[in-house]
Amino acid sequence: MRGQAKANTNIALIKYWGKRQKELNLPVTDSLSVTLDGLSTSVEAVFDKAAVHDSLRINGAIVEGAALQRLTQWLDGFRQAHQVKEFCLVNTQSNIPISAGLASSASSYAAIAGACLRAVAGDVSSENISRWARRGSGSASRSVFGGLVVWQAGEAADGSDSYATPLGAGEGIVVVAAVVSDKPKSISSREGMNRTVETSPLYPGWATTVSRDMAAARAAIKAGDLKLLFEVAEHNAFAMHATALAARPAVRYLQAGSFAIIDEVKRLRSEGALAYVTMDAGPNVKVLTTSDYADVVMERLTPISKKLFRCGVGEGLT
Ligand code: DP6
């Protein structure tokens, strides 16, 4: 039994930061993202009668340890739900630069879910692929779709209503990722969000902020107002980092280099450019802009970044 799928990564405009249930990656709040063009992971999954354990190959190299353990755990749940006994060989190929701070787990688990469901001839509706992708990595639920995507938190204990749906084409959006540091991050998003939920006194305010930001973002998308959408996204990113900073010990991702880029984007904006920032669980800064301003953003950030990546809006799972 063999299946294939390919998915692009995505970047959150309204962040997922906190789980109400850890095993199934059920989030506390809704989140909103844009799928990025050209930064993708292709997966082939083979459920093989002859295999004596699951195996994971990333860009040609056999991977063991935590990544394989996480995959095996995911596969155990998948096998149980689909009455499959065979171990699985998962072969992933990704062109996402590790240094860019653009999550590869989002595209990987979206593609793994798609490939495995195709292999076992399961329910291959996008909604179901999104649910299985979510169980691998929450943000992966959104990479099943292209353009602007909402992952609804849902309420059910089994996660049946916690999946993503598309919200619009996101036409004209360009994301410039500015690399501040290419060292591996000190605190994973998983650990960072768990610690924030458990210890940050600001966490209750986070949920309120997200519901307000989601409403504002939906209105901005409906009106085709990218400036308003980006402004809400920037606010949301700072709110996430502030909430995380108040955790014990502090969950701090931004560095001096991050602030240099944030300041330069602010300066560009004061000169009339449409450019805002968002940051995830790492020091790199992603600039939200449009094709009219992407060149000037690149030009101005080149001297203060280690590397820059420019992406348009990407399509969903293929
Ligand atoms: C800051 O999806 O990587 O990028 O569900 O534990 O795998 P797990 O977490 P993950 O967290 C992403 C956090 C974020 C915000 C976002 O993408 O919404």
Side-chain angles (χ1 to χ4, degrees):
M1 294 187 292
R2 184 183 294 262
Q4 270 181 320
K6 180 176 173 184
N8 283 315
T9 193
N10 72 78
I11 165 107
L13 302 178
I14 309 266
K15 309 293 184 189
Y16 148 54
W17 198 248
K19 307 176 195 211
R20 64 173 199 276
Q21 208 269 34
K22 289 180 195 165
E23 283 70 40
L24 298 172
N25 288 335
L26 299 180
V28 174
T29 68
D30 294 351
S31 57
L32 168 73
S33 61
V34 57
T35 300
L36 301 181
D37 187 25
L39 293 173
S40 64
T41 304
S42 295
V43 171
E44 186 189 46
V46 183
F47 289 91
D48 185 354
K49 278 197 171 60
V52 291
H53 55 77
D54 293 322
S55 67
L56 171 63
R57 195 180 275 270
I58 301 178
N59 295 336
I62 295 277
V63 173
E64 288 172 340
L68 176 62
Q69 204 183 333
R70 182 166 162 186
L71 176 66
T72 295
Q73 222 168 25
W74 183 91
L75 282 166
D76 284 342
F78 184 86
R79 275 187 285 260
Q80 197 179 17
H82 294 90
Q83 281 100 46
V84 171
K85 297 234 171 341
E86 289 84 359
F87 288 111
C88 190
L89 316 175
V90 175
N91 196 350
T92 82
Q93 286 286 341
S94 179
N95 65 356
I96 301 176
I98 294 165
S99 64
L102 291 159
S104 60
S105 67
S107 60
S108 301
Y109 271 98
I112 290 170
C116 288
L117 282 163
R118 286 171 184 168
V120 305
D123 169 2
V124 290
S125 64
S126 300
E127 181 183 309
N128 194 47
I129 297 175
S130 174
R131 263 191 227 106
W132 279 101
R134 182 205 78 228
R135 287 177 62 151
S137 188
S139 51
S141 64
R142 301 183 306 238
S143 269
V144 174
F145 299 96
L148 293 165
V149 182
V150 171
W151 169 18
Q152 57 188 47
E155 290 172 356
D158 65 356
S160 51
D161 57 356
S162 187
Y163 55 85
T165 47
L167 192 68
E171 214 168 288
I173 297 176
V174 173
V175 175
V176 175
V179 177
V180 169
S181 162
D182 46 18
K183 297 205 175 67
K185 56 188 167 192
S186 51
I187 312 170
S188 69
S189 45
R190 189 159 286 195
E191 189 191 333
M193 71 173 81
N194 290 343
R195 194 191 299 169
T196 304
V197 172
E198 282 152 25
T199 67
S200 173
L202 305 187
Y203 197 73
W206 168 249
T208 318
T209 304
V210 171
S211 59
R212 245 185 246 145
D213 291 350
M214 277 301 299
R218 279 180 189 276
I221 291 165
K222 207 167 171 188
D225 188 341
L226 286 184
K227 180 177 187 293
L228 182 57
L229 177 64
F230 293 170
E231 197 181 282
V232 173
E234 183 176 291
H235 159 72
N236 185 267
F238 281 124
M240 180 197 109
H241 286 272
T243 310
L245 263 180
R248 270 193 178 177
V251 173
R252 184 172 70 89
Y253 293 113
L254 303 180
Q255 300 174 0
S258 321
F259 288 104
I261 289 167
I262 291 166
D263 284 343
E264 191 61 27
V265 170
K266 201 171 164 197
R267 214 165 291 130
L268 269 164
R269 207 152 64 217
S270 71
E271 295 166 16
L274 179 54
Y276 289 81
V277 296
T278 186
M279 296 75 62
D280 291 310
N284 299 332
V285 178
K286 290 90 175 185
V287 183
L288 306 169
T289 186
T290 63
S291 42
D292 286 347
Y293 299 101
D295 285 343
V296 67
V297 168
M298 299 278 289
E299 194 184 304
R300 292 278 287 271
L301 297 187
T302 297
I304 53 170
S305 311
K306 280 215 156 82
K307 233 178 192 173
L308 292 170
F309 297 94
R310 176 182 174 158
C311 308
V313 177
E315 56 175 2
L317 190 101
T318 52

